[in-house]
Amino acid sequence: MIINNENKIEKQKLYLKAGAILKYFLGTSDKIDTLVMCRSNEIDLVTTDQDLYEALGSIKDYDNFNQRKLVKFLEVVEIGSLKRVKGKERTILTHKRVEELRKIALKKDD
């Protein structure tokens, strides 16, 4: 929690990358699941449309994907446009990128 000069409380922002989003969708991270499902009053979760696109595009037909988790994610997480992030540009999701993300997502949290 951060207090600014006007004594207003500012929430911390936690940026979710594509790998973390995929972990949430696949249920491989209790920590991320708790952050989304329990919506903290002290932390704002944020991501970009590109990261969400990559996470959703990395889900395989055989994954145990629950669409209600996507609905909850859209309810809780602020999704910004990649166009507004300087130095970043949209990329096409490749098979190589999908495999990278799945390695991250399927790795157990410590």
Side-chain angles (χ1 to χ4, degrees):
M1 189 170 4
I2 302 169
I3 299 177
N4 66 19
N5 292 339
E6 299 169 0
N7 293 326
K8 292 182 182 175
I9 296 173
E10 294 181 11
K11 295 181 181 181
Q12 290 181 346
K13 290 190 184 266
L14 179 61
Y15 182 82
L16 298 175
K17 294 183 180 182
I21 298 168
L22 186 57
K23 277 181 171 270
Y24 167 71
F25 289 149
L26 299 181
T28 58
S29 173
D30 289 337
K31 181 179 178 181
I32 298 169
D33 193 65
T34 300
L35 282 171
V36 175
M37 299 305 284
C38 297
R39 186 191 262 181
S40 170
N41 288 330
E42 297 176 3
I43 299 173
D44 280 334
L45 300 174
V46 296
T47 194
T48 63
D49 50 358
Q50 178 73 28
D51 284 298
L52 180 58
Y53 156 74
E54 288 183 357
L56 287 171
S58 298
I59 295 171
K60 302 283 187 176
D61 290 338
Y62 54 81
D63 287 327
N64 187 20
F65 174 64
N66 184 339
Q67 291 178 326
R68 289 179 292 231
K69 289 188 101 169
L70 173 58
V71 172
K72 184 65 176 181
F73 185 88
L74 295 173
E75 177 186 318
V76 172
V77 179
E78 179 184 328
I79 303 167
S81 173
L82 188 65
K83 291 178 185 179
R84 296 183 184 166
V85 180
K86 292 183 179 180
K88 299 266 187 169
E89 61 182 59
R90 292 197 191 284
T91 57
I92 302 292
L93 185 61
T94 63
H95 291 292
K96 181 179 177 183
R97 179 68 175 145
V98 168
E99 292 310 313
E100 289 171 6
L101 291 173
R102 290 187 64 81
K103 264 188 198 176
I104 292 167
L106 296 173
K107 184 179 176 188
K108 286 283 188 189
D109 281 348
D110 295 329

